Amino acid sequence: MTNSLLRTLDMIGPLDLVIYHGSIPSEHGLWVAVPCPCTVCERMDRLGIADVRFALIDPWTEEIGPVHVRRKSLTRSIATD
């Protein structure tokens, strides 16, 4: 149910396949979004700050990509629909 709701609202959830189009052009492309594991982002989440940030993982080699990624820098990939 929750996953369907997120997809209906076009929101990014953990482990969604996304396209990054943010401020680091060399990192643009297909990634898997996970919650950003840094202490600052975790603290913001615990405080209820709505600015959710993500870390990006390469879907093929599981290398870590950009971190602290804002939702507006991501588009959910249609490859999983």
Side-chain angles (χ1 to χ4, degrees):
M1 173 73 174
T2 302
N3 198 22
S4 297
L5 180 60
L6 289 176
R7 297 214 183 285
T8 301
L9 297 173
D10 195 34
M11 295 182 74
I12 305 297
L15 301 179
D16 273 352
L17 197 56
V18 297
I19 298 171
Y20 173 70
H21 46 79
S23 62
I24 309 170
S26 63
E27 300 292 343
H28 286 184
L30 196 61
W31 296 91
V32 173
V34 296
C36 188
C38 82
T39 56
V40 173
C41 291
E42 284 180 4
R43 195 170 296 129
M44 287 182 2
D45 186 47
R46 278 195 307 259
L47 291 172
I49 297 172
D51 188 19
V52 176
R53 303 286 180 110
F54 295 93
L56 303 180
I57 300 173
D58 183 331
W60 295 280
T61 62
E62 297 186 10
E63 291 181 20
I64 298 293
V67 294
H68 317 297
V69 178
R70 295 174 191 264
R71 166 67 183 93
K72 67 181 181 179
S73 297
L74 301 172
T75 302
R76 192 166 42 88
S77 173
I78 60 170
T80 58
D81 287 345

